[in-house]
PDB file of all heavy atoms in Angstrom:
ATOM      1  N   LYS N  50     206.315  29.462  39.807  1.00  0.00           N
ATOM      2  CA  LYS N  50     206.008  30.825  39.366  1.00  0.00           C
ATOM      3  C   LYS N  50     204.767  30.865  38.479  1.00  0.00           C
ATOM      4  O   LYS N  50     204.245  31.937  38.178  1.00  0.00           O
ATOM      5  CB  LYS N  50     207.198  31.409  38.600  1.00  0.00           C
ATOM      6  CG  LYS N  50     208.449  31.582  39.448  1.00  0.00           C
ATOM      7  CD  LYS N  50     209.589  32.181  38.637  1.00  0.00           C
ATOM      8  CE  LYS N  50     210.839  32.374  39.498  1.00  0.00           C
ATOM      9  NZ  LYS N  50     211.976  32.935  38.704  1.00  0.00           N
ATOM     10  N   ARG N  51     204.290  29.682  38.085  1.00  0.00           N
ATOM     11  CA  ARG N  51     203.175  29.634  37.150  1.00  0.00           C
ATOM     12  C   ARG N  51     201.820  29.687  37.839  1.00  0.00           C
ATOM     13  O   ARG N  51     200.838  30.134  37.253  1.00  0.00           O
ATOM     14  CB  ARG N  51     203.265  28.365  36.304  1.00  0.00           C
ATOM     15  CG  ARG N  51     204.438  28.365  35.320  1.00  0.00           C
ATOM     16  CD  ARG N  51     204.465  27.100  34.515  1.00  0.00           C
ATOM     17  NE  ARG N  51     204.726  25.937  35.355  1.00  0.00           N
ATOM     18  CZ  ARG N  51     204.724  24.674  34.913  1.00  0.00           C
ATOM     19  NH1 ARG N  51     204.440  24.425  33.650  1.00  0.00           N
ATOM     20  NH2 ARG N  51     204.998  23.687  35.741  1.00  0.00           N
ATOM     21  N   VAL N  52     201.736  29.212  39.066  1.00  0.00           N
ATOM     22  CA  VAL N  52     200.483  29.212  39.809  1.00  0.00           C
ATOM     23  C   VAL N  52     200.752  29.762  41.210  1.00  0.00           C
ATOM     24  O   VAL N  52     201.901  29.975  41.594  1.00  0.00           O
ATOM     25  CB  VAL N  52     199.899  27.784  39.916  1.00  0.00           C
ATOM     26  CG1 VAL N  52     199.483  27.284  38.536  1.00  0.00           C
ATOM     27  CG2 VAL N  52     200.901  26.832  40.551  1.00  0.00           C
ATOM     28  N   LYS N  53     199.689  29.970  41.965  1.00  0.00           N
ATOM     29  CA  LYS N  53     199.814  30.517  43.312  1.00  0.00           C
ATOM     30  C   LYS N  53     200.691  29.602  44.163  1.00  0.00           C
ATOM     31  O   LYS N  53     200.402  28.417  44.330  1.00  0.00           O
ATOM     32  CB  LYS N  53     198.437  30.664  43.944  1.00  0.00           C
ATOM     33  CG  LYS N  53     198.440  31.385  45.275  1.00  0.00           C
ATOM     34  CD  LYS N  53     197.018  31.579  45.773  1.00  0.00           C
ATOM     35  CE  LYS N  53     197.003  32.312  47.111  1.00  0.00           C
ATOM     36  NZ  LYS N  53     195.619  32.470  47.622  1.00  0.00           N
ATOM     37  N   ARG N  54     201.743  30.138  44.706  1.00  0.00           N
ATOM     38  CA  ARG N  54     202.741  29.335  45.408  1.00  0.00           C
ATOM     39  C   ARG N  54     202.402  29.177  46.885  1.00  0.00           C
ATOM     40  O   ARG N  54     201.545  29.875  47.441  1.00  0.00           O
ATOM     41  CB  ARG N  54     204.120  29.985  45.279  1.00  0.00           C
ATOM     42  CG  ARG N  54     204.189  31.407  45.822  1.00  0.00           C
ATOM     43  CD  ARG N  54     205.590  31.972  45.772  1.00  0.00           C
ATOM     44  NE  ARG N  54     206.474  31.330  46.740  1.00  0.00           N
ATOM     45  CZ  ARG N  54     207.641  31.839  47.125  1.00  0.00           C
ATOM     46  NH1 ARG N  54     208.079  32.982  46.612  1.00  0.00           N
ATOM     47  NH2 ARG N  54     208.383  31.218  48.015  1.00  0.00           N
ATOM     48  N   LEU N  55     203.107  28.252  47.525  1.00  0.00           N
ATOM     49  CA  LEU N  55     203.053  28.093  48.969  1.00  0.00           C
ATOM     50  C   LEU N  55     204.220  28.833  49.606  1.00  0.00           C
ATOM     51  O   LEU N  55     205.214  29.147  48.953  1.00  0.00           O
ATOM     52  CB  LEU N  55     203.131  26.612  49.353  1.00  0.00           C
ATOM     53  CG  LEU N  55     202.032  25.685  48.845  1.00  0.00           C
ATOM     54  CD1 LEU N  55     202.254  24.277  49.383  1.00  0.00           C
ATOM     55  CD2 LEU N  55     200.653  26.191  49.215  1.00  0.00           C
ATOM     56  N   TYR N  56     204.096  29.068  50.912  1.00  0.00           N
ATOM     57  CA  TYR N  56     205.153  29.725  51.678  1.00  0.00           C
ATOM     58  C   TYR N  56     205.431  28.888  52.918  1.00  0.00           C
ATOM     59  O   TYR N  56     204.517  28.352  53.539  1.00  0.00           O
ATOM     60  CB  TYR N  56     204.732  31.143  52.074  1.00  0.00           C
ATOM     61  CG  TYR N  56     204.431  32.009  50.880  1.00  0.00           C
ATOM     62  CD1 TYR N  56     203.146  32.055  50.340  1.00  0.00           C
ATOM     63  CD2 TYR N  56     205.436  32.747  50.262  1.00  0.00           C
ATOM     64  CE1 TYR N  56     202.870  32.829  49.220  1.00  0.00           C
ATOM     65  CE2 TYR N  56     205.162  33.526  49.141  1.00  0.00           C
ATOM     66  CZ  TYR N  56     203.883  33.558  48.631  1.00  0.00           C
ATOM     67  OH  TYR N  56     203.619  34.311  47.515  1.00  0.00           O
ATOM     68  N   ARG N  57     206.699  28.798  53.269  1.00  0.00           N
ATOM     69  CA  ARG N  57     207.067  28.040  54.456  1.00  0.00           C
ATOM     70  C   ARG N  57     206.955  28.939  55.685  1.00  0.00           C
ATOM     71  O   ARG N  57     207.388  30.094  55.664  1.00  0.00           O
ATOM     72  CB  ARG N  57     208.489  27.501  54.334  1.00  0.00           C
ATOM     73  CG  ARG N  57     208.843  26.513  55.439  1.00  0.00           C
ATOM     74  CD  ARG N  57     210.226  25.949  55.257  1.00  0.00           C
ATOM     75  NE  ARG N  57     210.334  25.189  54.017  1.00  0.00           N
ATOM     76  CZ  ARG N  57     211.452  24.609  53.608  1.00  0.00           C
ATOM     77  NH1 ARG N  57     212.561  24.725  54.323  1.00  0.00           N
ATOM     78  NH2 ARG N  57     211.471  23.934  52.489  1.00  0.00           N
ATOM     79  N   VAL N  58     206.368  28.396  56.737  1.00  0.00           N
ATOM     80  CA  VAL N  58     206.258  29.087  58.021  1.00  0.00           C
ATOM     81  C   VAL N  58     206.828  28.182  59.099  1.00  0.00           C
ATOM     82  O   VAL N  58     207.072  26.995  58.870  1.00  0.00           O
ATOM     83  CB  VAL N  58     204.793  29.466  58.350  1.00  0.00           C
ATOM     84  CG1 VAL N  58     204.306  30.580  57.457  1.00  0.00           C
ATOM     85  CG2 VAL N  58     203.876  28.250  58.245  1.00  0.00           C
TER      86      VAL N  58
END
Side-chain angles (χ1 to χ4, degrees):
K50 296 181 179 179
R51 291 180 295 176
V52 294
K53 187 176 180 182
R54 58 176 290 197
L55 299 183
Y56 300 89
R57 189 177 297 179
V58 289

